[in-house]
Amino acid sequence: MVRHARLTEGAFSPPLRSTSLTKGRFAGSTFDARPGDACSPDDANSLRAGTVASNSSLTTGMAGRYANALFELARDNGALDAVASDLESFHNLLDESEDLQRLVRSPVFSGEEQQKAIEALFAKANAQPLTTNFFKLVAQNRRLFAVEDMIEAFRAILADHRGEVSADVTTATPLDDAQMEQLKTTLRETIGQEVQIATSVDPSILGGLIVKVGSRMVDSSLKTKLNTLKVAMKEVG
């Protein structure tokens, strides 16, 4: 892993404690596809190779530098798990909240406005001061629009640190704990490594799930199958 200098010396406060920004998000959910559909044993070598290449590209560039700085500070303060939890909770909330998406992505908001909103959000969640101050610094530097890339890069760095593979999983409906464990087991057995899974929900895929391991996309969604059928029908016509 390539290490980068920290963003600013002493920019972040010492970590204290962390709770999730959202709780019970997957309660009472259903799952419309078998986790075993995500990938097959024949794909294992290409999945591993794609992950190495993808992680390398993720951790370079602007987003990678920010993610590396946060990772090093969290590691040095023994707060990797807590910071990772804060990031995943923020990412989940970002998926669900159009208001938060506008705050993060719209250039209309000033850096000061973004900082205040982020500070209030994380204070309500009792998030790590380290995480809060990182996001405030990102907002101050007018880089909040890239926070999703930073989170993805942090995942990749953390997975590499733990000897894991990172996978992004999109489902039509949220997964419950049992389904998540089943999916994790399936991916671990297929790839031959521990897998760190980041989930998101996209009702538009209609059913099934989309798994991205490194640069490899494995799609079993009904939407994709329907689109493929439409293309085939047009070609016949």
Side-chain angles (χ1 to χ4, degrees), residues 67 70-71 74 80 83-84 87 150-159:
L70 179 59
F71 171 82
L80 281 175
V83 169
L87 294 181
M150 295 176 193
I151 293 173
E152 187 175 359
F154 184 92
R155 289 172 182 158
I157 298 166
L158 183 61

Side-chain angles (χ1 to χ4, degrees), residues 149-224:
D149 290 336
M150 295 176 193
I151 293 173
E152 187 175 359
F154 184 92
R155 289 172 182 158
I157 298 166
L158 183 61
D160 181 66
H161 174 72
R162 292 172 170 171
E164 299 173 339
V165 172
S166 59
D168 295 307
V169 176
T170 304
T171 58
T173 56
L175 305 182
D176 61 27
D177 291 342
Q179 292 160 350
M180 179 67 77
E181 282 303 313
Q182 185 181 4
L183 178 59
K184 185 177 293 186
T185 298
T186 300
L187 290 176
R188 181 174 63 245
E189 292 174 350
T190 300
I191 299 170
Q193 290 179 256
E194 291 294 326
V195 181
Q196 181 187 63
I197 298 177
T199 61
S200 59
V201 176
D202 181 3
S204 72
I205 68 173
L206 303 182
L209 74 169
I210 300 173
V211 178
K212 183 179 179 183
V213 182
S215 60
R216 176 89 174 181
M217 184 80 75
V218 184
D219 190 339
S220 66
S221 76
L222 177 60
K223 180 180 179 181
T224 296

Side-chain angles (χ1 to χ4, degrees), residues 56-168:
S56 176
S57 62
L58 277 174
T59 55
T60 58
M62 182 267 291
R65 289 193 293 273
Y66 275 81
N68 268 291
L70 179 59
F71 171 82
E72 291 179 9
L73 287 164
R75 180 199 59 202
D76 293 348
N77 286 279
L80 281 175
D81 289 343
V83 169
S85 177
D86 287 342
L87 294 181
E88 291 307 318
S89 296
F90 180 85
H91 188 267
N92 291 339
L93 190 59
L94 187 61
D95 279 344
E96 297 173 344
S97 172
E98 293 183 1
D99 288 340
L100 184 57
Q101 291 171 19
R102 281 193 292 271
L103 174 73
V104 166
R105 298 167 184 166
S106 175
V108 173
F109 296 99
S110 68
E112 183 178 358
E113 289 172 326
Q114 288 177 326
Q115 284 185 72
K116 289 181 178 179
I118 288 294
E119 186 173 17
L121 177 66
F122 281 102
K124 185 176 181 181
N126 293 318
Q128 282 278 343
L130 177 58
T131 311
T132 303
N133 288 332
F134 172 78
F135 273 79
K136 288 171 61 179
L137 179 65
V138 171
Q140 177 183 316
N141 292 346
R142 305 295 287 156
R143 295 291 184 269
L144 202 57
F145 66 88
V147 71
E148 290 177 277
D149 290 336
M150 295 176 193
I151 293 173
E152 187 175 359
F154 184 92
R155 289 172 182 158
I157 298 166
L158 183 61
D160 181 66
H161 174 72
R162 292 172 170 171
E164 299 173 339
V165 172
S166 59
D168 295 307

Side-chain angles (χ1 to χ4, degrees), residues 32-52:
D32 297 326
R34 296 172 297 161
D37 291 339
C39 50
S40 67
D42 294 337
D43 291 327
N45 289 334
S46 58
L47 285 172
R48 281 192 288 268
T51 299
V52 172

